[in-house]
Amino acid sequence: MGIKDTSTYNMEKDYYENLQEGPRFMGEIPPWNSKPSFPFIGQRLNSPLGIPAGLLLDSKWVGLYASLGFDILAYKTVRSHQYPPHPWPNCLFVKTDMIKPHEPPTQLVAPKDWEPPSPRRVTITNSFGMPSLDPIRWQDDVEKSLGLLKEGQVLIVSVVGTFKGSQEGLVEDFIRVASMASEAGAPIIELNFSCPNITEGEGTIYTDPPLAGWIAREVSKAVKGIPLLVKVGLLLGQDLDTLMRAIAPWVQGVVGINSVSLAVVNEEGKPALSPDRKTSGVCGWAIRQCGLTFVKEARTMKEKERYELAIYGCGGVTEGEHIRAYLKHGAQAVFTCTGAMFNPYLALEYKGVMEPQTNHKPLNYQSPV
Ligand SMILES: Cc1cc2nc3c(=O)[nH]c(=O)nc-3n(C[C@H](O)[C@H](O)[C@H](O)COP(=O)(O)O)c2cc1C
């Protein structure tokens, strides 16, 4: 038993096992009341706190985290066709200090059998490659997810097009998958323009502002009336400004950051996940300064250039204090993925329903639903 066992996502099992058997949680959930008062894209939510695309593999996961008081729930990125995940392992602990946004390390180590000192200090590397179920299956499940939300909560459906050699084809596939999400009843659609585990094509759209603007424009025409968000990786300075200018006319908000793409090696200096995965996404505690710097810069640019775009913060939030720091720096809502994976009570702690956990008990292996 260790920190690994406090995670709702079982790192020792593969993606499909987690989809079928997860989430791993049998704890008690104290009662809490809905109080919709925070503005979020034309609605009122109970809080500005959410789970970004990634942890909510299906409606069972959406239902659990909604009942745990997370009010913005982003369904894990889906595609216009079935798509396999990268092979297991998909998550490993990484031993690192806080990563400096302007001087990220060249590589980090994921030591075998090492565990972080507490769930609040967890940094992991994740590598999934944006797998997707067949649309018929995820569309039904999105509908089911909508029925599990409480008053003052909202669902976002994250989508990605698949690059098959041409940018025209990628734009068309984004239109296809966003239209499928719209048919399924998605109240908000997020265009995932970054995946640190896919090193070209759809994984790096956020570094190509003309392509990002093109996709955002075409999707906004195709799904008229549905608010759009864009998810980006770590981008700062002029590059961030150019991207914001390209997408601002078409989308309501930008969510950053995705996991930081870095070389993660084992103690022998070899790629830690598998020989062909030389880089992977690093997320959790150590990327908080990267996420905060992104939010600060995005906010400054938004104010200077009058971009009509909300800024949503993500990265390294593992405590209530971190949520408050993001809000202070200009984020209009805050997302936590790794933090909520290892401490599912984070929202209830933030809302004052529970005292911050000091003694994290391992979670049971069965799902409550
Ligand atoms: C298990 C896992 C799966 C993820 N899958 C996705 C995904 O499908 N789409 C996406 O946009 N981001 C994905 N992410 C990235 C998160 O949304 C988030 O941007 C990143 O983890 C940084 O936040 P954190 O430090 O709170 O974990 C994933 C992250 C994790 C840990």
Side-chain angles (χ1 to χ4, degrees), residues 82-114:
Q82 193 178 344
Y83 197 87
H86 289 336
W88 185 90
N90 304 99
C91 296
L92 298 174
F93 288 127
V94 170
K95 194 174 180 185
T96 171
D97 295 330
M98 186 63 70
I99 295 171
K100 296 188 182 125
H102 293 283
E103 290 168 359
T106 48
Q107 68 177 37
L108 291 176
V109 182
K112 197 168 174 285
D113 299 329
W114 176 82

Side-chain angles (χ1 to χ4, degrees), residues 30-357:
W32 55 273
N33 294 325
S34 296
K35 265 195 232 137
S37 59
F38 287 87
F40 183 81
I41 316 185
Q43 317 189 28
R44 296 265 160 194
L45 304 183
N46 302 318
S47 75
L49 180 60
I51 307 283
L55 186 56
L56 309 179
L57 273 50
D58 70 5
S59 55
K60 284 186 284 145
W61 294 75
V62 172
L64 173 67
Y65 277 91
S67 64
L68 283 160
F70 292 88
D71 295 311
I72 312 167
L73 301 128
Y75 199 91
K76 185 160 167 60
T77 308
V78 291
R79 297 185 186 249
S80 67
H81 54 282
Q82 193 178 344
Y83 197 87
H86 289 336
W88 185 90
N90 304 99
C91 296
L92 298 174
F93 288 127
V94 170
K95 194 174 180 185
T96 171
D97 295 330
M98 186 63 70
I99 295 171
K100 296 188 182 125
H102 293 283
E103 290 168 359
T106 48
Q107 68 177 37
L108 291 176
V109 182
K112 197 168 174 285
D113 299 329
W114 176 82
E115 288 214 333
S118 98
R120 295 173 200 284
R121 281 295 301 265
V122 171
T123 302
I124 60 172
T125 185
N126 82 75
S127 165
F128 291 89
M130 297 188 285
S132 179
L133 294 176
D134 189 84
I136 304 237
R137 287 186 59 196
W138 66 250
Q139 283 181 303
D140 278 352
D141 195 55
V142 162
E143 270 189 66
K144 199 167 163 193
S145 301
L146 288 166
L148 298 171
L149 303 187
K150 301 183 190 319
E151 192 195 0
Q153 298 190 326
V154 71
L155 186 77
I156 297 172
V157 178
S158 166
V159 302
V160 70
T162 304
F163 183 72
K164 289 186 180 154
S166 86
Q167 290 198 340
E168 284 80 5
L170 179 61
V171 176
E172 276 166 26
D173 200 43
F174 257 102
I175 295 173
R176 201 172 296 127
V177 67
S179 303
M180 289 171 169
S182 154
E183 276 166 34
I188 298 171
I189 295 175
E190 182 172 287
L191 307 173
N192 189 1
F193 283 174
S194 73
C195 177
N197 302 304
I198 296 195
T199 46
E200 52 191 22
E202 66 267 36
T204 53
I205 299 166
Y206 74 107
T207 62
D208 184 342
L211 176 59
W214 181 11
I215 296 170
R217 184 185 69 220
E218 295 306 315
V219 172
S220 78
K221 283 198 277 182
V223 299
K224 255 198 194 75
I226 300 186
L228 296 180
L229 305 180
V230 160
K231 175 81 172 281
V232 301
L234 178 57
L235 209 56
L236 301 170
Q238 188 57 49
D239 293 341
L240 175 57
D241 195 18
T242 312
L243 180 80
M244 285 174 64
R245 187 180 301 275
I247 60 172
W250 318 110
V251 307
Q252 277 65 37
V254 60
V255 183
I257 57 171
N258 209 314
S259 330
V260 179
S261 181
L262 290 170
V264 179
V265 297
N266 59 24
E267 284 147 311
E268 286 85 52
K270 307 231 165 72
L273 289 154
S274 60
D276 57 331
R277 283 181 279 177
K278 298 204 168 29
T279 57
S280 52
V282 172
C283 52
W285 179 84
I287 70 162
R288 194 170 58 263
Q289 284 311 325
C290 296
L292 279 170
T293 305
F294 165 85
V295 164
K296 271 194 259 180
E297 292 201 6
R299 180 209 198 165
T300 307
M301 287 162 196
K302 171 189 151 119
E303 284 173 359
K304 182 162 168 264
E305 303 294 334
R306 299 181 193 278
Y307 297 134
E308 286 188 29
L309 198 63
I311 314 290
Y312 302 121
C314 179
V317 169
T318 62
E319 297 185 31
E321 208 43 54
H322 304 161
I323 301 163
R324 287 183 276 277
Y326 266 97
L327 294 172
K328 200 173 120 216
H329 283 110
Q332 285 158 269
V334 183
F335 292 91
T336 168
C337 192
T338 311
M341 182 169 156
F342 286 87
N343 178 13
Y345 290 118
L346 185 53
L348 295 177
E349 291 177 6
Y350 171 68
K351 291 175 171 182
V353 176
M354 290 175 76
E355 286 294 310
Q357 309 283 293

